[in-house]
Amino acid sequence: MLDATLPDLGCGRRWEEVHVARPRAPLTCPACAHGSHAKISPRGLRFFAHDPGAPCCRLAEESLEHHLLKLELLTAVRDAGWFARLEVAASDGSWRADVLATSPDGTHRMAWEAQLSPIGVDAIRARTAKLARDDVTVCWVAPAPKPGTPPAPWLDAVPAVEATPTDTDTTVTWTLTHGLRRFAMCVDPAPGAAPRRWWEPVEGVPLSRFVGWVLKSTVTRHQGRGSRHAPTAPPPLWWTARHYITLEREAAEIEAHAEAAARDALIAQAEARQAELDAESDRHRAAEEHARRRKALADRAGHWHACSSARREQLTGAVHAWAEREQLRVQVVFGAVAPHWAGGVAVLDGASGAPVATLTPARGLLDGLDPALTVLMETRTQLRDILPALPPYVRVERLQVPGESRARNLADFLVAGPAITDEMFQRPDKVVPRPRAYGARVPQPRRRSRSALLLDVTAALEALARGRFLMDGALVTAVKPVIDAMECGQLDSEITRDALLATVSENTTRIPGDDRPLDAILRTILERP
């Protein structure tokens, strides 16, 4: 069975062999055996879809939210170091797991079930028992109910969590709203009083992080005490960290002691243990935060290192224009990236060398920003993105960078290699019709502006100079707009061909399975009729 979420589709084959391949790959649905084909969503998500005329199939009836939730669980399992497969059924057909996780040593299996449709408590307990008979643990994941709708009645009856999706422009992330709890305890100062203790819910944890905690045994299932108001009801079940279970047991021992002296000693011991665990958690959080900040600083350093000299000159000119309005003399230092500049470019006073401002800082590093610095942003989009995260009383300014629009700001797209000359462009307002055979339907070229052609050429040069290609078809895709413009007569064929070949000769990478250099492969592509 092919898995679109794996680079090799789970069987050692490439995605290009099944996606837009001619002749088309013979694919069938594993549930209904109807023909299917490979597709890519507008967000870049790879998936398989039924061919027209498909019968009623349970996989086709799954909603987009169900598919996205299963993909989130699949990705989280693999990020935790476990093996994961979609739609795995038992050998006897008694159960089918949405996502089946297998430990690296193959000794443990765990099913992750995305349960969006309504189901009763008895039915879901029966499905959990079937999995348990085959030594498969399970965690059920339900979406958060809509306003005015009650939650799923089985959330506290089986190992389960509730999550809500957050949709962004490119991804959908899920965060927990129910099912994860932590133990809390408060010691009453009154003599002879037992400590108060309770389990409080933990919300806002990313679902992917929770999956990693479960698979690494950081959190486990825990059954609480039954309610004295409903003694016949089964005790609730939730997920929690192991040390919280230890704390609850220690608190129960404290309650069992009648003497005040023993009780006070155990309370002190529990508090010390709590402080130790809190300190350990603080150290872990500090280490994670330190690693995150180091990575963010490294990314920003790489971003500024890759910035072209032309772009640096534009930004430097914009900063000097701002400084002139502020009656300052400054110097822009592109080489240094520090936490107190929040990953931005340092703008120093020309006389004293003291920091004055930071240029385009990273949003994730603003907590370390010196509040005395002025924040300089390049575009309105960057300004809107960073404003909610800025510390209070920090001054922010938007620079007037020349050539801000994409059609005019081509300096960031140019690469080292042959210059793009005016001789390359022959009358971009005219196109040459392609020859049309009798009865044939040949796509005719569309009129392209000079700025659009210039963007196509610079994008092709950028890809040829720095890109890595897995097959020659990707190389064709990189230069196809330029080849079309050459065929239409909008670009000079000889000059453009020499520019493409000279640029790709600087790229020393190789296509897997092909020993020829990239310029030889491109030469063959350009010579095709």
Side-chain angles (χ1 to χ4, degrees), residues 175-341:
T175 54
L176 297 190
T177 57
H178 183 85
L180 182 64
R181 300 188 186 185
R182 61 186 174 191
F183 182 74
M185 183 176 63
C186 178
V187 179
D188 196 327
R196 293 185 294 109
R197 54 194 179 92
W198 65 95
W199 288 91
E200 59 184 11
V202 179
E203 299 179 355
V205 175
L207 178 60
S208 57
R209 184 180 300 177
F210 168 75
V211 172
W213 286 347
V214 173
L215 297 181
K216 295 175 183 177
S217 299
T218 303
V219 301
T220 185
R221 295 167 296 174
H222 179 65
Q223 196 160 29
R225 294 184 176 183
S227 174
R228 43 182 193 176
H229 302 290
T232 58
L237 190 66
W238 59 75
W239 296 89
T240 187
R242 294 182 179 274
H243 64 264
Y244 287 130
I245 300 176
T246 303
L247 285 177
E248 184 191 33
R249 186 169 54 249
E250 293 177 356
E253 292 175 358
I254 293 175
E255 283 187 339
H257 287 77
E259 295 81 4
R263 177 181 57 82
D264 293 341
L266 290 175
I267 290 175
Q269 181 181 0
E271 290 177 345
R273 177 62 175 164
Q274 179 74 55
E276 180 182 348
L277 292 171
D278 290 344
E280 184 178 356
S281 298
D282 292 342
R283 287 194 296 269
H284 282 303
R285 284 194 295 269
E288 291 178 356
E289 178 66 16
H290 180 68
R292 183 194 66 81
R293 293 181 64 84
R294 287 187 59 183
K295 183 179 182 302
L297 285 173
D299 292 343
R300 295 298 291 177
H303 167 76
W304 292 117
H305 179 73
C307 185
S308 64
S309 58
R311 185 60 176 170
R312 292 191 180 193
E313 291 178 2
Q314 284 185 334
L315 294 175
T316 302
V319 171
H320 282 300
W322 166 80
E324 185 176 348
R325 293 194 302 269
E326 299 291 328
Q327 298 182 355
L328 296 173
R329 294 182 59 189
V330 298
Q331 56 178 341
V332 184
V333 183
F334 278 93
V337 176
H340 51 275
W341 291 322

Side-chain angles (χ1 to χ4, degrees), residues 124 138-142 154-162 178-180 210 221 237-239:
I124 201 168
V138 64
C139 179
W140 301 86
V141 182
W154 44 264
L155 280 175
D156 293 336
V158 293
V161 291
E162 183 185 82
H178 183 85
L180 182 64
F210 168 75
R221 295 167 296 174
L237 190 66
W238 59 75
W239 296 89

